[in-house]
Amino acid sequence: MITFISRLKLTKIWLFLPYNLRNLIKNFLGYSPYPDFKKLKISLKKTKADQQKNFHFGTIVGSHRASNLLDSSLAKYLVDRGHSVSVLICDENLPACLNSSIWKSKKKDRLENTLSESPKKQNLCKVCFKNSEELWKSTNAKIYKISDLLTKADHKEINEKIKKLKLLGDVFYKEISLKEDIIAGCLRYLCLGDENKISEELYERYAISSLRICFCYEKILSIESVDTGVWVHGIYVPHGILNKIFKKKQINFYNYNTSYRENRFYFTKNDTYHKILPSESFEQLSLDCFTESELNQAKEYLVSREKGSQDWQQFNNEPLKDSLKELKKIGFKEDKKDLAVLFTNVVWDARLHFKENLYDDMVDWIKDTVDFFKTSARKKLIIRVHPGELISHSVSREKVADLDFLQNLPENIILVPPESKISSYFLARISKLNLVYATKMSMELCLYDAPIICCGDAWVKGKNATIDPSSKKEFLEILNLENWASLNNKMNKKNGLSYSHYIFEKKPIYFPYFKVAQDRKSFSVDLSNYEKVYLSKESVLNFMERKLTNKEEIINS
């Protein structure tokens, strides 16, 4: 019998193998991470839905596990309830997509920041398409494939558009601008945050993929009278493109993504959660109406985040119990100087533009902050680099520590690298001022004494739980204050705890039939639990049917 330790060793060996080799082995063994819904012993003896609707799932990328698992499990139920359900999957036909990654490409591509071979030539597509197709066949949904929808004339028209394209130039499809999501897709592929690093070849590949998606949906939506669409993210290529198409067509859709808490998903209506969640206001959410019991529940969960015991995705790095000792090793001195801690994000992640942000991007914000502390020796700054630079699904190639202005730092500025086991929560405890851009750590910071300054699109922004400067000048004036603690009079961290309860407990929808892997890096569908949920009169599947048919609104979405 394989022990837990042996399984861990085998996992490490498996992950050490090149991605292409792992794909070949999976294909040879016939392995699939997806369920076969035909194996269910279900006899649905429910009344068919009173009002049949037409649903479309924009899954498309077969290797994106979270979306294939959630989409198919919902689709199976909706089909059996008598609704019309369709899905688009890619049959090895996109020259770049979510499955593309610089870490799966040639070393030469990393040097030139390009993508020289399509996912198909990289042997990424066969398993991706095969597993997804088998999964979707078992749901009995209507399957659309890209190659079946695109004609030679379509490809010719797309190629003509690409010939006229300039690097980082706008790409239009019937007045729909696709540029933002093409750039986001390129940066995600590169694991970089600098648009100037995008090669012409890479930009063209994501532009072609975007246009192919547009042409496919022009045909799908002429065949299907879709009432509601469902797909993951709502950014990048292809799912950001879907958002723009459905908005233009004025068809309702839902975007979703996994919540940090295990078995939970966020759903937002008619826009990506990246834009919906920061825009929700204090008044909209009635954050002053939460009970003491709810606030205590929020505190309990936020404390658990340090170890990730209730999460199914986590970025903690087994933090040290004695973080102070380690911090002193890298230059920290205990003195009476005021200490600010700046918490970063992964540079390339979800690079969208928010007009209300003070800075164009996080790097500019860090530079302004560092420049201030370089000329203010009476104050100290610790920069805590996000551990996700190293342990996310795609290791970042743009390291905060490598930024030019962070070299040869003065004594009063310390950089804690992503691999450090110094606890971010320890830093929050000793800080006199916490600085954030978009990190979700901003919610945990509401547990601590120091005021929180938000300069980006963190979800907690605008909830009266943080100080949100209206200008760069105001931000620098805050840094220059003699008494940072006085800022607590202008904010109420209780609202931050209320928001934490909302965002971690109320907002996400719980799906009990997902089984979380031991390493908390992935999950699967537990068919026996799915069957129980499927047959229950009041289950999440029944709940989601009501939501997606607009009989009830998903909370604040």
Side-chain angles (χ1 to χ4, degrees):
M1 186 175 180
I2 299 176
T3 65
F4 175 68
I5 294 174
S6 298
R7 285 197 296 271
L8 284 177
K9 288 180 179 178
L10 288 172
T11 299
K12 286 183 179 180
I13 293 170
W14 174 253
L15 293 175
F16 182 75
L17 298 175
Y19 188 87
N20 290 353
L21 179 57
R22 281 184 269 156
N23 260 356
L24 289 173
I25 294 171
K26 286 178 184 178
N27 190 46
F28 176 75
L29 296 175
Y31 166 79
S32 174
Y34 301 145
D36 181 355
F37 290 107
K38 290 179 181 176
K39 292 181 179 180
L40 291 170
K41 301 172 183 178
I42 289 175
S43 176
L44 188 62
K45 296 179 180 178
K46 294 187 176 183
T47 306
K48 294 287 185 181
D50 297 332
Q51 188 177 5
Q52 270 77 49
K53 295 284 186 177
N54 189 321
F55 296 102
H56 178 80
F57 289 87
T59 312
I60 305 175
V61 182
S63 64
H64 195 278
R65 185 180 295 196
S67 60
N68 278 270
L69 292 174
L70 181 62
D71 290 356
S72 64
S73 64
L74 291 175
K76 166 64 179 169
Y77 184 82
L78 293 171
V79 167
D80 290 355
R81 289 280 286 153
H83 298 289
S84 176
V85 180
S86 61
V87 63
L88 176 67
I89 57 176
C90 175
D91 51 345
E92 308 181 41
N93 212 267
L94 292 178
C97 67
L98 285 180
N99 196 16
S100 304
S101 169
I102 194 75
W103 297 112
K104 299 174 187 176
S105 297
K106 296 177 179 179
K107 289 183 179 178
K108 182 175 179 288
D109 286 350
R110 289 198 281 280
L111 293 173
E112 298 177 3
N113 292 320
T114 194
L115 176 55
S116 57
E117 290 183 334
S118 67
K120 185 174 183 178
K121 285 191 176 180
Q122 290 178 296
N123 295 317
L124 302 179
C125 291
K126 185 173 285 187
V127 172
C128 174
F129 168 56
K130 177 184 172 184
N131 287 342
S132 186
E133 184 183 35
E134 290 302 313
L135 167 68
W136 280 97
K137 281 180 179 178
S138 75
T139 68
N140 293 320
K142 184 175 181 180
I143 299 171
Y144 287 97
K145 301 173 190 175
I146 291 177
S147 64
D148 291 339
L149 292 167
L150 297 180
T151 65
K152 288 183 179 179
D154 293 331
H155 286 294
K156 184 178 179 181
E157 186 176 342
I158 290 170
N159 290 337
E160 289 300 318
K161 284 180 177 286
I162 297 301
K163 284 179 183 177
K164 301 173 185 177
L165 181 63
K166 294 180 180 179
L167 179 58
L168 301 187
D170 215 333
V171 181
F172 286 94
Y173 178 79
K174 295 190 175 181
E175 299 181 348
I176 301 174
S177 173
L178 311 177
K179 180 179 177 179
E180 180 182 40
D181 292 293
I182 294 172
I183 289 175
C186 290
L187 295 179
R188 184 182 188 276
Y189 164 81
L190 291 172
C191 299
L192 293 172
D194 185 354
E195 296 176 11
N196 296 314
K197 298 288 179 68
I198 298 172
S199 71
E200 185 174 358
E201 182 178 36
L202 179 62
Y203 193 74
E204 285 184 358
R205 282 188 178 279
Y206 276 93
I208 291 169
S209 292
S210 300
L211 287 167
R212 287 184 183 179
I213 293 298
C214 290
F215 276 68
C216 283
Y217 274 92
E218 190 66 36
K219 295 182 181 182
I220 290 172
L221 296 177
S222 69
I223 299 168
E224 304 284 344
S225 298
V226 175
D227 295 299
T228 306
V230 181
W231 50 85
V232 75
H233 286 321
I235 58 174
Y236 305 124
V237 176
H239 301 107
I241 307 303
L242 285 193
N243 275 31
K244 290 176 170 57
I245 293 169
F246 273 61
K247 281 182 180 180
K248 181 72 174 176
K249 298 281 187 181
Q250 296 185 322
I251 302 172
N252 285 329
F253 63 88
Y254 284 93
N255 291 149
Y256 64 85
N257 197 33
T258 52
S259 167
Y260 279 92
R261 293 197 67 182
E262 63 184 15
N263 290 60
R264 290 164 172 83
F265 288 81
Y266 295 115
F267 281 79
T268 50
K269 188 175 182 180
N270 294 336
D271 210 342
T272 173
Y273 57 94
H274 298 90
K275 292 186 176 180
I276 290 286
L277 297 181
S279 69
E280 293 175 327
S281 69
F282 170 84
E283 290 78 16
Q284 283 176 311
L285 302 179
S286 302
L287 294 181
D288 53 349
C289 297
F290 281 64
T291 66
E292 284 301 316
S293 174
E294 289 172 325
L295 296 181
N296 288 332
Q297 191 176 1
K299 288 178 185 177
E300 181 186 348
Y301 171 67
L302 291 176
V303 169
S304 81
R305 294 266 296 142
E306 184 163 7
K307 294 183 179 179
S309 58
Q310 298 184 47
D311 298 336
W312 64 355
Q313 53 178 324
Q314 55 172 310
F315 296 110
N316 70 67
N317 194 22
E318 299 178 358
L320 295 168
K321 290 183 178 178
D322 189 357
S323 291
L324 179 59
K325 182 179 178 180
E326 192 67 22
L327 191 58
K328 286 180 178 179
K329 287 181 183 179
I330 59 174
F332 179 76
K333 295 178 181 178
E334 291 185 276
D335 52 36
K336 294 183 179 180
K337 291 181 180 179
D338 286 338
L339 170 66
V341 179
L342 182 153
F343 297 90
T344 76
N345 293 87
V346 177
V347 175
W348 59 265
D349 190 26
R351 279 291 304 277
L352 299 176
H353 295 290
F354 294 81
K355 292 179 181 178
E356 63 274 16
N357 282 357
L358 300 187
Y359 293 89
D360 291 336
D361 57 44
M362 183 185 70
V363 172
D364 286 342
W365 167 66
I366 297 174
K367 185 177 186 307
D368 244 17
T369 307
V370 168
D371 285 346
F372 170 83
F373 281 90
K374 281 181 177 179
T375 59
S376 302
R378 59 193 172 83
K379 297 175 184 286
K380 292 189 298 187
L381 175 69
I382 293 177
I383 300 170
R384 189 10 167 160
V385 181
H386 199 301
E389 278 195 354
L390 297 180
I391 56 178
S392 66
H393 63 87
S394 295
V395 176
S396 180
R397 293 171 63 234
E398 185 169 355
K399 306 290 196 296
V400 166
D402 293 337
L403 294 169
D404 291 342
F405 59 85
L406 291 180
Q407 309 312 306
N408 302 312
L409 291 171
E411 190 180 61
N412 67 320
I413 303 176
I414 294 173
L415 188 138
V416 179
E419 67 273 14
S420 174
K421 293 183 181 295
I422 293 172
S423 168
S424 297
Y425 302 89
F426 164 76
L427 296 177
R429 282 192 286 272
I430 66 171
S431 176
K432 298 298 182 186
L433 184 70
N434 288 318
L435 308 174
V436 299
Y437 192 76
T439 178
K440 297 172 188 66
M441 176 77 184
S442 53
M443 284 178 275
E444 284 101 297
L445 295 178
C446 293
L447 291 171
Y448 304 105
D449 294 335
I452 307 162
I453 310 300
C454 180
C455 291
D457 48 285
W459 294 356
V460 76
K461 181 180 180 180
K463 312 300 189 291
N464 289 355
T466 59
I467 302 292
D468 309 328
S470 59
S471 67
K472 294 180 184 180
K473 180 183 177 184
E474 183 185 349
F475 172 55
L476 295 176
E477 287 173 349
I478 289 171
L479 295 183
N480 199 38
L481 286 174
E482 289 295 330
N483 181 17
W484 286 334
S486 65
L487 293 167
N488 278 322
N489 297 324
K490 299 180 179 180
M491 52 184 282
N492 187 346
K493 288 187 187 150
K494 189 175 179 180
N495 296 331
L497 295 176
S498 297
Y499 183 69
S500 298
H501 187 273
Y502 162 74
I503 206 68
F504 290 122
E505 190 66 34
K506 280 191 169 184
K507 179 69 176 175
I509 298 171
Y510 180 71
F511 290 79
Y513 53 79
F514 289 120
K515 182 179 179 181
V516 185
Q518 285 182 327
D519 63 1
R520 293 185 174 267
K521 302 293 184 188
S522 63
F523 57 93
S524 57
V525 170
D526 183 320
L527 280 178
S528 61
N529 278 340
Y530 179 80
E531 189 167 320
K532 292 174 185 175
V533 172
Y534 182 102
L535 293 172
S536 173
K537 289 183 179 180
E538 290 298 326
S539 71
V540 68
L541 293 171
N542 184 268
F543 173 86
M544 287 305 301
E545 180 190 18
R546 296 198 308 272
K547 301 307 178 187
L548 297 176
T549 51
N550 293 316
K551 289 183 180 178
E552 297 178 45
E553 283 295 314
I554 294 175
I555 297 174
N556 293 299
S557 62

